[in-house]
Amino acid sequence: MKQITRICWLLLGVIFIFSGLVKLNDPVGTALKLEEYFEVFAEDFGSFFLVFKGFSRTMSIVLSSLEVVLGVALLLRWMLRKTLWVLLVLLVFFGFLTFYSAAFNKVTDCGCFGDFIKLTPWTSFFKDLFLLGLWAVVFTNQRYLRRVFAKGQLGVMYITVASAVAIGIGVRALGHLPYFDFLPYKVGNNIGQLMKSSAPLRYKYIMERNGASQEFTDYPTDSTWKFKQMVALNPEAGPKITDFRVWNDEGDFTQELLQGNRLVLIVQGTEKADRDRFKLINTLFAEAQKSRRKISVLVLTSSSPAAFDAFRHDVNLSAPFYYADATVLKSMIRSNPGLMLLQNGTVKGKYHYHDIPAIGDIEKKL
């Protein structure tokens, strides 16, 4: 039992640190997931939950950092009993979220491990039950964990350092781009290729007759069978990008965007877009249009035509603009505004508005 307890203690601490760090890698993505939960709760329990949307980024960093700090405190066995009680509160909270998502099909991905590991709602819930099991073993067998690795002021110093590092990681990622990009639009990926299946999709057909179900790899020609469900046998071969589309008043521009050298400014929404860097952005656009690399510039936005027209006049932005879905733009880059460099559909560079590149850096990427 002593060895089992120590294994559970180690697993619980490591998983909490890992989970927190993955979220801190992309605090904007974690904040978007929190906003999704707030919208669901506002619809089901009361509109006051919408108030929390304004604090989603702060809550993202605080909750993610808390996971890291609790994991460190657990591994150090610092104030073990109190640490375990706080862990229980967090586990119950996460368990409620994942159960609610699974039972009522409200949020299809809990964001437990950010975009690094995608979990279905039920998988997320059973993961939380597993962690609760680890917690129960550790809590009921604390006598096997009597040795504390950091006592008194040393323990306080370690926890302070862990807190500062965790918060620092999150704040820097918030003001720039994620350290590691796990989204389909990461540098090196070709958007056009990811919009296609990597192999022919295969399906099985679940049919029903006289109350009995049977699976077929080919659709049965016997008309006595009634169709019930079609399930993909190799879903991993399907397109990784299914909702990318760009258009303007003249029609679809998706395929044209994926040809040639394109410097794309992404303005997810004009109401929250940072306006202080547009002098640098306009200068970069002017230099790109003169480049020998034949770089064409354009803007993608999800704002309404009236809102964007007022915005572009306000920031003196002169470039053709097109529309795309807001969720797609948030997946493309965690910055509003943000820059993406494309070469025949391949992502060659992504830039936060705090990191506007020089034209020389752009040309080197091409």
Side-chain angles (χ1 to χ4, degrees):
M1 197 63 209
K2 185 177 182 180
Q3 293 302 321
I4 291 174
T5 302
R6 288 181 174 178
I7 291 172
C8 293
W9 156 77
L10 182 62
L11 276 175
L12 191 60
V14 169
I15 290 174
F16 259 85
I17 293 172
F18 174 74
S19 175
L21 288 176
V22 169
K23 292 188 183 77
L24 288 171
N25 172 69
D26 183 12
V28 175
T30 305
L32 292 173
K33 188 58 60 178
L34 288 174
E35 289 179 10
E36 193 175 348
Y37 275 111
F38 293 146
E39 290 171 358
V40 168
F41 291 157
E43 184 179 336
D44 293 352
F45 302 115
S47 59
F48 66 91
F49 276 101
L50 294 176
V51 174
F52 296 109
K53 287 185 66 176
F55 306 98
S56 60
R57 295 194 175 188
T58 302
M59 294 177 65
S60 164
I61 293 179
V62 170
L63 287 174
S64 303
S65 299
L66 182 60
E67 285 189 71
V68 174
V69 172
L70 288 173
V72 171
L74 181 62
L75 293 182
L76 293 175
R77 302 176 188 174
W78 182 75
M79 299 181 68
L80 183 59
R81 191 171 186 84
K82 291 181 180 179
T83 297
L84 286 170
W85 279 116
V86 179
L87 277 172
L88 177 62
V89 172
L90 211 57
L91 285 171
V92 170
F93 172 68
F94 289 149
F96 165 74
L97 291 182
T98 53
F99 174 77
Y100 188 80
S101 300
F104 300 100
N105 196 31
K106 293 291 185 177
V107 181
T108 56
D109 172 28
C110 72
C112 303
F113 297 112
D115 291 294
F116 178 59
I117 302 175
K118 293 284 189 178
L119 299 177
T120 64
W122 281 118
T123 303
S124 300
F125 175 65
F126 290 126
K127 179 265 301 177
D128 288 331
L129 289 183
F130 171 72
L131 293 178
L132 280 169
L134 296 179
W135 180 91
V137 172
V138 175
F139 185 81
T140 55
N141 295 281
Q142 294 178 57
R143 62 188 181 276
Y144 298 127
L145 302 171
R146 289 177 180 172
R147 182 186 175 190
V148 179
F149 297 110
K151 298 180 180 180
Q153 291 184 345
L154 182 61
V156 173
M157 183 184 72
Y158 283 157
I159 297 302
T160 302
V161 170
S163 302
V165 170
I167 294 172
I169 289 172
V171 169
R172 191 192 182 284
L174 190 64
H176 299 273
L177 292 179
Y179 303 92
F180 303 98
D181 193 347
F182 302 113
L183 293 165
Y185 301 94
K186 68 181 180 180
V187 173
N189 279 5
N190 185 282
I191 297 174
Q193 291 178 0
L194 293 180
M195 292 171 67
K196 303 174 184 177
S197 297
S198 58
L201 289 174
R202 296 178 288 106
Y203 298 92
K204 66 178 179 181
Y205 304 92
I206 302 175
M207 312 296 289
E208 189 175 41
R209 184 172 63 183
N210 299 327
S213 296
Q214 187 172 329
E215 296 181 358
F216 296 86
T217 53
D218 294 313
Y219 197 89
T221 56
D222 188 346
S223 60
T224 60
W225 287 102
K226 293 184 177 180
F227 175 79
K228 187 176 180 182
Q229 189 179 8
M230 182 172 69
V231 180
L233 295 174
N234 57 338
E236 69 284 349
K240 302 299 185 294
I241 296 176
T242 58
D243 49 4
F244 181 77
R245 180 174 169 263
V246 175
W247 72 92
N248 63 6
D249 294 337
E250 298 178 2
D252 189 87
F253 190 72
T254 307
Q255 292 306 315
E256 288 85 345
L257 175 65
L258 302 179
Q259 297 172 6
N261 296 329
R262 305 276 189 178
L263 182 58
V264 184
L265 175 67
I266 298 172
V267 181
Q268 297 166 5
T270 57
E271 66 283 353
K272 293 184 179 180
D274 185 282
R275 298 170 185 243
D276 296 336
R277 302 299 192 281
F278 271 90
K279 185 176 181 179
L280 290 174
I281 292 172
N282 290 333
T283 300
L284 177 62
F285 269 23
E287 292 173 341
Q289 290 173 310
K290 298 176 183 177
S291 172
R292 295 180 180 179
R293 295 288 185 179
K294 297 182 179 179
I295 305 171
S296 58
V297 300
L298 59 102
V299 184
L300 294 183
T301 185
S302 62
S303 296
S304 67
F308 187 76
D309 191 57
F311 175 83
R312 70 188 182 92
H313 282 96
D314 185 43
V315 298
N316 297 316
L317 180 62
S318 178
F321 60 94
Y322 302 84
Y323 303 104
D325 180 75
T327 302
V328 171
L329 296 182
K330 291 173 183 176
S331 297
M332 290 178 73
I333 194 165
R334 302 299 203 204
S335 175
N336 185 27
L339 289 165
M340 179 177 283
L341 181 64
L342 299 176
Q343 185 177 56
N344 295 321
T346 298
V347 181
K348 305 298 287 188
K350 295 170 72 170
Y351 306 92
H352 193 279
Y353 63 79
H354 285 149
D355 305 304
I356 304 299
I359 187 62
D361 296 327
I362 293 289
E363 290 175 336
K364 285 179 182 179
K365 297 283 187 181
L366 299 172

